Amino acid sequence: LQWLRNPGPQRERRTLFGDMVCFLFITPLATISGWLCLRGAVDHLHFSSRLEAIGLIALTVALFTIYLFWTLVSFRYHCRLYNEWCQTNQRVILFIPKSANIPCTHQQSLLGLQPPQRNSKETTV
């Protein structure tokens, strides 16, 4: 969720938003177009030329091949950006162990640290 809120530079944010909008627009469009082509192919098989039916089936296959290719390329691109973002935006919290001789508050004041507040998503290192 942090990456979706701030995926990186403005260009990457625009690309992610644009691909999401295209995916939401193209998915139903490709589905309806494929369904209409297959319906037309079935009608042509029953009533007229087999050549037109084969053409509509080929059009459906080409449509879904291009759609799946675009989806895969877009998904891989954004996964790569996410992995790069994860490598450069790690959140590390260092807990200093309590010493037997120095009280915790004195040790923290020497280092200028405030007592850490733990988040449920954080891992102790």
Side-chain angles (χ1 to χ4, degrees), residues 100-114:
N101 299 335
I102 303 173
C104 183
T105 56
H106 181 62
Q107 183 181 17
Q108 289 175 347
S109 66
L110 287 175
L111 296 171
L113 299 174
Q114 297 296 326

Side-chain angles (χ1 to χ4, degrees), residues 47-65:
F47 300 113
S48 61
S49 154
R50 290 186 189 269
L51 185 60
E52 291 175 3
I54 292 170
L56 285 172
I57 291 171
L59 180 63
T60 304
V61 169
L63 175 73
F64 280 112
T65 301

Side-chain angles (χ1 to χ4, degrees), residues 21-33 64 67 70-71:
V21 168
C22 285
F23 182 78
L24 292 175
F25 177 72
I26 291 174
T27 299
L29 186 65
T31 303
I32 291 169
S33 298
F64 280 112
Y67 169 75
W70 173 80
T71 303

